Short mmCIF file of all heavy atoms in Angstrom, two decimals:
data_model
loop_
_atom_site.label_atom_id
_atom_site.label_comp_id
_atom_site.label_asym_id
_atom_site.label_seq_id
_atom_site.Cartn_x
_atom_site.Cartn_y
_atom_site.Cartn_z
N PRO A 290 -37.22 -80.23 47.20
CA PRO A 290 -37.89 -81.52 47.32
C PRO A 290 -38.67 -81.95 46.09
O PRO A 290 -39.24 -83.02 46.07
CB PRO A 290 -38.83 -81.31 48.51
CG PRO A 290 -39.14 -79.87 48.49
CD PRO A 290 -37.94 -79.18 47.94
N ILE A 347 -54.07 -104.10 25.15
CA ILE A 347 -55.20 -105.04 25.17
C ILE A 347 -54.65 -106.45 25.39
O ILE A 347 -55.42 -107.38 25.59
CB ILE A 347 -56.07 -104.97 23.89
CG1 ILE A 347 -55.22 -105.17 22.63
CG2 ILE A 347 -56.83 -103.65 23.83
CD1 ILE A 347 -56.07 -105.29 21.35
N SER A 358 -70.45 -91.56 42.64
CA SER A 358 -70.63 -90.29 43.35
C SER A 358 -71.51 -90.47 44.58
O SER A 358 -71.34 -89.76 45.58
CB SER A 358 -71.22 -89.23 42.42
OG SER A 358 -72.42 -89.71 41.87
N SER A 362 -68.48 -98.18 46.49
CA SER A 362 -67.22 -98.46 45.78
C SER A 362 -67.13 -99.91 45.32
O SER A 362 -67.73 -100.80 45.93
CB SER A 362 -66.03 -98.14 46.68
OG SER A 362 -66.02 -96.77 46.97
N VAL A 401 -52.94 -115.21 30.05
CA VAL A 401 -54.14 -114.95 29.24
C VAL A 401 -54.60 -113.52 29.52
O VAL A 401 -54.87 -113.17 30.67
CB VAL A 401 -55.27 -115.95 29.59
CG1 VAL A 401 -56.48 -115.72 28.70
CG2 VAL A 401 -54.76 -117.38 29.49
N VAL A 405 -59.46 -106.59 27.84
CA VAL A 405 -60.68 -106.37 27.05
C VAL A 405 -61.90 -106.81 27.86
O VAL A 405 -62.91 -106.09 27.96
CB VAL A 405 -60.60 -107.10 25.69
CG1 VAL A 405 -61.93 -106.98 24.94
CG2 VAL A 405 -59.47 -106.51 24.85
N ASP A 406 -61.81 -107.96 28.50
CA ASP A 406 -62.94 -108.41 29.32
C ASP A 406 -63.20 -107.41 30.45
O ASP A 406 -64.36 -107.11 30.77
CB ASP A 406 -62.66 -109.80 29.92
CG ASP A 406 -63.89 -110.35 30.61
OD1 ASP A 406 -64.83 -110.75 29.90
OD2 ASP A 406 -63.93 -110.30 31.85
N LEU A 452 -37.60 -106.95 18.72
CA LEU A 452 -38.73 -106.98 17.78
C LEU A 452 -38.38 -107.81 16.56
O LEU A 452 -39.19 -108.60 16.07
CB LEU A 452 -39.11 -105.56 17.37
CG LEU A 452 -39.92 -104.76 18.39
CD1 LEU A 452 -40.09 -103.32 17.93
CD2 LEU A 452 -41.29 -105.40 18.64
N GLY A 477 -42.29 -86.97 16.30
CA GLY A 477 -43.10 -86.44 15.21
C GLY A 477 -43.44 -87.46 14.14
O GLY A 477 -44.35 -87.23 13.33
N TYR A 528 -61.58 -116.98 29.85
CA TYR A 528 -61.11 -115.88 30.70
C TYR A 528 -62.28 -114.99 31.13
O TYR A 528 -63.09 -114.55 30.31
CB TYR A 528 -60.07 -114.99 29.99
CG TYR A 528 -59.64 -113.91 30.97
CD1 TYR A 528 -58.57 -114.11 31.83
CD2 TYR A 528 -60.38 -112.73 31.12
CE1 TYR A 528 -58.23 -113.16 32.80
CE2 TYR A 528 -60.05 -111.78 32.08
CZ TYR A 528 -58.99 -112.01 32.91
OH TYR A 528 -58.67 -111.09 33.89
N ARG A 533 -64.47 -107.69 42.81
CA ARG A 533 -64.10 -108.05 44.19
C ARG A 533 -64.47 -106.90 45.12
O ARG A 533 -64.52 -105.74 44.70
CB ARG A 533 -62.59 -108.32 44.29
CG ARG A 533 -62.10 -109.43 43.37
CD ARG A 533 -60.67 -109.82 43.73
NE ARG A 533 -60.08 -110.71 42.74
CZ ARG A 533 -60.24 -112.03 42.71
NH1 ARG A 533 -61.01 -112.62 43.60
NH2 ARG A 533 -59.65 -112.77 41.78
N MET A 562 -49.80 -97.30 56.07
CA MET A 562 -50.44 -96.10 56.62
C MET A 562 -50.75 -96.28 58.09
O MET A 562 -50.60 -95.36 58.89
CB MET A 562 -51.69 -95.77 55.81
CG MET A 562 -51.35 -95.28 54.41
SD MET A 562 -52.74 -94.69 53.47
CE MET A 562 -53.08 -93.13 54.29
N PHE A 564 -49.19 -98.28 60.26
CA PHE A 564 -47.95 -98.22 61.05
C PHE A 564 -47.59 -96.75 61.34
O PHE A 564 -47.07 -96.40 62.38
CB PHE A 564 -46.78 -98.86 60.28
CG PHE A 564 -46.67 -100.36 60.42
CD1 PHE A 564 -46.47 -101.17 59.31
CD2 PHE A 564 -46.72 -100.97 61.67
CE1 PHE A 564 -46.33 -102.54 59.44
CE2 PHE A 564 -46.59 -102.35 61.81
CZ PHE A 564 -46.40 -103.14 60.69
N PRO A 569 -46.33 -88.08 64.59
CA PRO A 569 -46.60 -86.69 64.16
C PRO A 569 -45.76 -86.29 62.95
O PRO A 569 -44.88 -85.43 63.04
CB PRO A 569 -46.22 -85.88 65.40
CG PRO A 569 -45.13 -86.68 66.05
CD PRO A 569 -45.43 -88.13 65.76
N ASP A 594 -44.10 -109.39 54.70
CA ASP A 594 -45.42 -110.05 54.69
C ASP A 594 -45.87 -110.37 53.27
O ASP A 594 -46.46 -111.42 53.02
CB ASP A 594 -46.46 -109.12 55.34
CG ASP A 594 -46.39 -109.15 56.85
OD1 ASP A 594 -45.66 -109.99 57.40
OD2 ASP A 594 -47.08 -108.32 57.48
N TYR A 617 -52.27 -107.49 64.94
CA TYR A 617 -51.16 -108.02 64.16
C TYR A 617 -50.08 -106.95 63.95
O TYR A 617 -48.89 -107.20 64.16
CB TYR A 617 -51.67 -108.53 62.81
CG TYR A 617 -50.54 -108.99 61.92
CD1 TYR A 617 -49.91 -110.22 62.16
CD2 TYR A 617 -50.08 -108.21 60.87
CE1 TYR A 617 -48.84 -110.64 61.36
CE2 TYR A 617 -49.02 -108.62 60.08
CZ TYR A 617 -48.41 -109.83 60.32
OH TYR A 617 -47.36 -110.23 59.56
N THR A 631 -33.78 -101.63 62.04
CA THR A 631 -34.04 -103.06 62.22
C THR A 631 -33.26 -103.82 61.15
O THR A 631 -33.18 -103.37 60.01
CB THR A 631 -35.55 -103.34 62.08
OG1 THR A 631 -36.26 -102.47 62.96
CG2 THR A 631 -35.88 -104.78 62.42
N PHE A 652 -53.95 -94.50 35.33
CA PHE A 652 -54.68 -93.28 35.02
C PHE A 652 -55.85 -93.09 35.98
O PHE A 652 -56.37 -94.05 36.55
CB PHE A 652 -55.14 -93.23 33.56
CG PHE A 652 -55.96 -94.39 33.08
CD1 PHE A 652 -57.35 -94.31 33.04
CD2 PHE A 652 -55.37 -95.57 32.63
CE1 PHE A 652 -58.12 -95.36 32.56
CE2 PHE A 652 -56.13 -96.63 32.17
CZ PHE A 652 -57.50 -96.53 32.12
N GLU A 688 -46.44 -111.34 31.85
CA GLU A 688 -46.87 -111.32 33.26
C GLU A 688 -46.56 -112.61 34.00
O GLU A 688 -46.57 -112.63 35.24
CB GLU A 688 -48.38 -111.05 33.31
CG GLU A 688 -48.83 -110.16 34.43
CD GLU A 688 -48.43 -108.70 34.21
OE1 GLU A 688 -48.85 -108.11 33.21
OE2 GLU A 688 -47.68 -108.18 35.06
N ASP A 691 -44.37 -112.54 36.97
CA ASP A 691 -44.82 -112.06 38.29
C ASP A 691 -45.18 -113.23 39.22
O ASP A 691 -45.43 -113.01 40.41
CB ASP A 691 -46.01 -111.11 38.16
CG ASP A 691 -45.56 -109.65 38.06
OD1 ASP A 691 -44.36 -109.37 38.26
OD2 ASP A 691 -46.40 -108.79 37.79
N ASN A 700 -37.07 -113.25 40.21
CA ASN A 700 -37.50 -113.03 38.83
C ASN A 700 -36.65 -111.92 38.22
O ASN A 700 -35.63 -111.53 38.79
CB ASN A 700 -39.01 -112.75 38.75
CG ASN A 700 -39.38 -111.37 39.29
OD1 ASN A 700 -38.53 -110.62 39.74
ND2 ASN A 700 -40.65 -111.06 39.23
N LEU A 704 -37.55 -110.24 42.26
CA LEU A 704 -38.69 -110.63 43.09
C LEU A 704 -38.67 -112.11 43.40
O LEU A 704 -38.53 -112.95 42.51
CB LEU A 704 -39.99 -110.28 42.38
CG LEU A 704 -41.25 -110.52 43.18
CD1 LEU A 704 -41.35 -109.54 44.33
CD2 LEU A 704 -42.46 -110.43 42.29
N ASP A 730 -63.78 -87.26 55.25
CA ASP A 730 -65.07 -86.98 55.91
C ASP A 730 -66.24 -87.49 55.06
O ASP A 730 -67.25 -86.81 54.89
CB ASP A 730 -65.21 -85.48 56.18
CG ASP A 730 -64.07 -84.96 57.06
OD1 ASP A 730 -63.61 -85.72 57.95
OD2 ASP A 730 -63.62 -83.81 56.84
N GLY A 741 -44.50 -98.82 38.49
CA GLY A 741 -43.26 -98.86 39.27
C GLY A 741 -42.98 -100.20 39.91
O GLY A 741 -42.13 -100.27 40.81
N VAL A 753 -49.84 -90.00 48.96
CA VAL A 753 -51.00 -89.75 49.82
C VAL A 753 -50.57 -88.95 51.06
O VAL A 753 -51.18 -87.93 51.40
CB VAL A 753 -51.66 -91.09 50.22
CG1 VAL A 753 -52.68 -90.87 51.33
CG2 VAL A 753 -52.31 -91.75 49.01
N ARG A 819 -60.52 -80.32 45.68
CA ARG A 819 -60.18 -79.23 46.60
C ARG A 819 -61.39 -78.88 47.47
O ARG A 819 -62.53 -79.23 47.11
CB ARG A 819 -59.76 -78.01 45.79
CG ARG A 819 -58.44 -78.19 45.06
CD ARG A 819 -58.24 -77.00 44.16
NE ARG A 819 -56.94 -76.99 43.53
CZ ARG A 819 -56.71 -76.46 42.33
NH1 ARG A 819 -57.70 -75.93 41.64
NH2 ARG A 819 -55.50 -76.46 41.83
#
Side-chain angles (χ1 to χ4, degrees):
I347 55 173
S358 56
S362 296
V401 183
V405 174
D406 188 74
L452 283 173
Y528 181 89
R533 301 191 189 277
M562 291 187 72
F564 275 133
D594 281 352
Y617 175 76
T631 307
F652 55 97
E688 218 72 60
D691 268 351
N700 72 359
L704 185 69
D730 302 325
V753 169
R819 292 172 173 150

